[in-house]
Amino acid sequence: MTKTRNAARASGVVATVGIAALLVSGCTRDPATGGPGGDDSGASPGITDDSISLGISSPLSGPTAGPGSCTVAGLDAYIEAKNAAGGFEFGDGKTRQVDFTYLDDTYDPAKAVSNFRQLVNDNIFAYVGALGTPTNAAVMPIAEEEEIPQVLLTTGARTFSEDQEAHPWTTGFVPTYATEGRAFGELLANANQPLTVATLAQNDDFGQSYLDGFNEAIEGSQVEIVADATYEPTDTTLDAQVTELAASKADVLLSAVSVTPLQVGVLTKAQSLGWLPRIFLPSNTSTPGTILQPGGAAAYPGVYTPSFSKNPNSPAFAADEDVIAYNDAFTKYGSKIASTYTPHCTWSYTEGAVLDEAFQNMEKPTRESFMTALKSISGFQAPLLLDGITVDTTTNDDAAISTVQLVQYDGQAGFKPVTAY
Amino acid sequence: MNTFFASRPRRIAGLVVLAVVLVLAPLVSSPYINYQLSSIAVFAVAILGLNIVMGYTGQVSLGQSAFLGLGAYIAAYGVLHDWPPVLSLVLCAVIPAVVGMLVALAAARLRGLALAMITLALPIVGVPLARRLTDLTGGSQGRVVSWLRAPEATGLANDQWRYYVVVVIAVVAFALAHNLVRGRIGRSFAIVKENEAVALSMGVSPYRTKVLAFTIASLLGGVSGFMYLAVVQYTSPETLTFFTSINLVAAMVIGGSASIVGTALGAAYYVLVPVLAGQVNSSRTALISGAILLAVLFLLPAGLVSLPRRLASLLRRRPQPAAGAPTPDDATHRAPASSTATTE
């Protein structure tokens, strides 16, 4: 009796193991790792005669969700509007629709890698415009190894732009932080008068890049840094630092603060101490609606920020063709992804136009051809870029947009151009 | 445990099936699937450590991500200095264990919220440290590495090789932890969790037991950091943020507190739910993840591991809906569930 039961159990065991083994070995892995490869005419994965697929992973939830959503929304608006108008024209004479997939990585590098793998598994042709330094740094080695374009990234970190020979498949889009800092420095140096500066910077390479660019520009001029302070992104208030800097009574405050609430705190604290310097803000944290108005920036004699794109909410550009097209497309497509405006929305819209330009010069449906086309754009006046700023991807040591213009807060919802200090 | 696996042959069969699946899975899956499976193994070990200190010993720890990050940084430092991976692995276990023990020597005198606050400080201090010690950590841009490539002789792709490395480590960690919690030390964990006075009267020092539990948890945290670097090939201050700790704790409770199987389920939850939420709607991942979290906690307060038991009791009850009082069978099944669900 027990013997038969044991025998029955044993056979059950063998059967289960066998079935499991069969199930698992039933399907075999595609020999070409990284999904089905080029089948006809040597085309790269993710592109057919009438479609091409692009992917992005950005923070769509969590503390960086605002800018992150905008890097998706603006690009989506450009792509969907163009798709609806018939599609993108390519250099090989075909017209294709762009399939755009976006995923949320909450600014977590492990999730970004996971998302990148997922997108590659779903056969994307290229990975475009992702926001975030750590997330993109984690993706870069895989993109390089598998030769998948990881291009026009929305991060000002130098890593992605300064040595493109070392990583030919990765390019940055927005000006590096050093470029922004240099623009500040040049304005002060060109003023040709003794100026004192107080600096407040994030205690890491973001803050350091700003200071590096700034210091390069003021070298040998009459500008002098008389006080400096740093902060951690995890700090809850910068009152102590601002109080310390205020004691220097400097003429200018360089506030390279990347965290929105902290930047608002700096603006309110300095004026409450009766210190009203001219202030320089990074492009990341100078949105009128979320920073300048809550911070009472109108009280200062001048609030400057580097800019390269037109602000669609500013009355100065209300009649601009690009802005009208952007606003239409964004209301129709982008607004379901990002509800609040940050400049990243316009940047990523411009990025869509840069991709469009690259597609038009892309002679073969391959990733190599795409990279060649993308890296030979110069002097391209993309939509929404300020006059005088153009896209140049031909240099190997800088981002696609490598110049900025300083603009000055007009006290309301927009900016006006700056010519001299 | 599940009644189906109560008998020994069935349990062995189950383990054999599991082993076959674990061995064959990477050979037939895409690199993407392998990455997900490897990530589950990584976080399973981190959650295992957390489960030992929280689930089995009843002490709150909100600092697991700090040990995960520490392990990842040690491994990254090892890669830069060409240490053999085995040496890195040993150091990834030893250094976090020592750090964890030093913290625990002070912290284990406290209990409840005070203890939670001390452990909370670890990631809060760790992130700025990682940003500032640029020479060691690479600053906020982190460390990109390229290591643990598949040896030519194996004929495996890198993702498959890395999968095997992390899964072997995870299986060893789980086997050791399984034996640990069932042995003498596991019983002392349980009695310290239930009642420290009783533990003392039985000759078990609650203080030493807690320090030991913390040390083991930090050790496993460090090992999972090694695995993290093996899979992600990158580490940065974002790795050790406080949010990771909180999410790990949530995943542990969801999987099943004081349960080895629950730990693995918790890790699967931790990795897969954001992916599933992204499939539904990428702009609403936080909302969807939150809804799933609440649903699990309401429907399965003892965690995912109680799902088969819960289903069985629902099925059994259906024929006699009139029977008001719970059957004795139900009561015995419920008792451990309610005691494990508390995490103080």
Side-chain angles (χ1 to χ4, degrees), chain B residues 317-331:
Chain B
R317 210 177 305 164
R318 194 153 295 166
Q320 319 103 307
T327 60
D329 201 28
D330 255 4

Side-chain angles (χ1 to χ4, degrees), chain A residues 13 15-18 20-21 24, chain B residues 11-23:
Chain A
V13 168
T16 329
V17 174
V24 173
Chain B
R11 180 171 289 200
I12 290 171
L15 286 176
V16 171
V17 169
L18 183 67
V20 170
V21 171
L22 283 181
V23 170

Side-chain angles (χ1 to χ4, degrees), chain B residues 14-37:
Chain B
L15 286 176
V16 171
V17 169
L18 183 67
V20 170
V21 171
L22 283 181
V23 170
L24 293 183
L27 300 177
V28 298
S29 314
S30 67
Y32 166 61
I33 303 284
N34 287 346
Y35 180 83
Q36 300 295 355
L37 294 175

Side-chain angles (χ1 to χ4, degrees), chain A residues 151-166:
Chain A
V151 293
L152 304 178
L153 304 175
T154 315
T155 157
R158 294 168 158 193
T159 330
F160 307 104
S161 301
E162 282 199 342
D163 188 10
Q164 292 179 29
E165 271 163 29

Side-chain angles (χ1 to χ4, degrees), chain A residues 244-326:
Chain A
E244 187 194 323
L245 295 175
S248 74
K249 300 245 184 293
D251 306 324
V252 177
L253 168 65
L254 169 64
S255 179
V257 174
S258 72
V259 185
T260 301
L262 293 183
Q263 189 69 279
V264 174
V266 169
L267 293 173
T268 49
K269 183 66 186 176
Q271 56 183 296
S272 78
L273 294 169
W275 181 39
L276 294 172
R278 289 173 189 255
I279 299 188
F280 287 117
L281 303 178
S283 60
N284 268 332
T285 46
S286 56
T287 312
T290 54
I291 292 182
L292 299 181
Q293 285 165 348
Y300 294 95
V303 174
Y304 306 90
T305 189
S307 173
F308 58 88
S309 69
K310 298 169 185 165
N311 181 344
N313 302 325
S314 158
F317 298 115
D320 188 281
E321 245 175 69
D322 293 347
V323 169
I324 293 169
Y326 164 85

Side-chain angles (χ1 to χ4, degrees), chain A residues 187-196 221-224 251 278 421:
Chain A
L187 182 80
L188 297 189
N190 293 340
N192 264 331
Q193 51 174 295
L195 288 172
T196 53
S221 73
Q222 301 181 57
V223 181
E224 189 195 357
D251 306 324
R278 289 173 189 255
Y421 176 75

Side-chain angles (χ1 to χ4, degrees), chain B residues 23-294:
Chain B
V23 170
L24 293 183
L27 300 177
V28 298
S29 314
S30 67
Y32 166 61
I33 303 284
N34 287 346
Y35 180 83
Q36 300 295 355
L37 294 175
S38 308
S39 300
I40 292 176
V42 172
F43 291 107
V45 173
I47 295 172
L48 182 65
L50 207 51
N51 219 337
I52 284 178
V53 72
M54 287 186 75
Y56 287 98
T57 320
Q59 309 302 312
V60 183
S61 171
L62 299 175
Q64 191 69 349
S65 65
F67 297 107
L68 176 90
L70 179 58
Y73 274 120
I74 294 169
Y77 191 81
V79 174
L80 285 185
H81 292 80
D82 289 323
W83 295 350
V86 177
L87 174 66
S88 291
L89 177 58
V90 171
L91 289 178
C92 284
V94 172
I95 297 175
V98 171
V99 173
M101 189 176 77
L102 290 177
V103 172
L105 284 173
R109 296 180 191 281
L110 305 168
R111 60 185 70 186
L113 284 177
L115 180 59
M117 286 300 120
I118 297 282
T119 55
L120 176 68
L122 294 171
I124 302 277
V125 174
V127 172
L129 268 185
R131 283 187 206 277
R132 205 171 286 207
L133 300 174
T134 311
D135 293 339
L136 292 175
T137 62
S140 62
Q141 300 197 346
R143 281 265 186 252
V144 176
V145 297
S146 175
W147 68 314
L148 284 181
R149 310 180 75 82
E152 288 286 332
T154 58
L156 295 171
N158 288 335
D159 60 299
Q160 295 167 329
W161 174 251
R162 288 168 190 156
Y163 167 93
Y164 284 124
V165 170
V166 296
V167 166
V168 165
I169 297 174
V171 166
V172 170
F174 268 73
L176 292 177
H178 179 264
N179 287 342
L180 180 85
V181 297
R182 265 158 194 73
R184 186 176 59 82
I185 295 173
R187 288 195 296 279
S188 59
F189 285 166
I191 195 69
V192 167
K193 178 184 179 181
E194 285 305 314
N195 189 326
E196 291 186 17
V198 173
L200 209 52
S201 73
M202 294 167 83
V204 174
S205 158
Y207 176 67
R208 274 194 212 158
T209 309
K210 287 192 229 170
V211 171
L212 178 66
F214 260 108
T215 308
I216 293 171
S218 331
L219 184 148
L220 289 171
V223 169
S224 74
F226 175 90
M227 298 159 69
Y228 180 94
L229 197 77
V231 173
V232 182
Q233 302 276 313
Y234 175 77
T235 181
S236 72
E238 298 300 316
T239 311
L240 38 80
T241 53
F242 168 63
F243 290 106
T244 312
S245 276
I246 286 288
N247 285 334
L248 288 173
V249 171
M252 185 208 81
V253 174
I254 281 169
S257 186
S259 157
I260 295 287
V261 178
T263 302
L265 294 176
Y269 173 92
Y270 180 89
V271 172
L272 298 182
V273 163
V275 176
L276 292 178
Q279 301 282 0
V280 179
N281 184 341
S282 298
S283 307
R284 301 275 179 273
T285 47
L287 187 70
I288 297 167
S289 303
I292 297 176
L293 179 106
L294 286 179

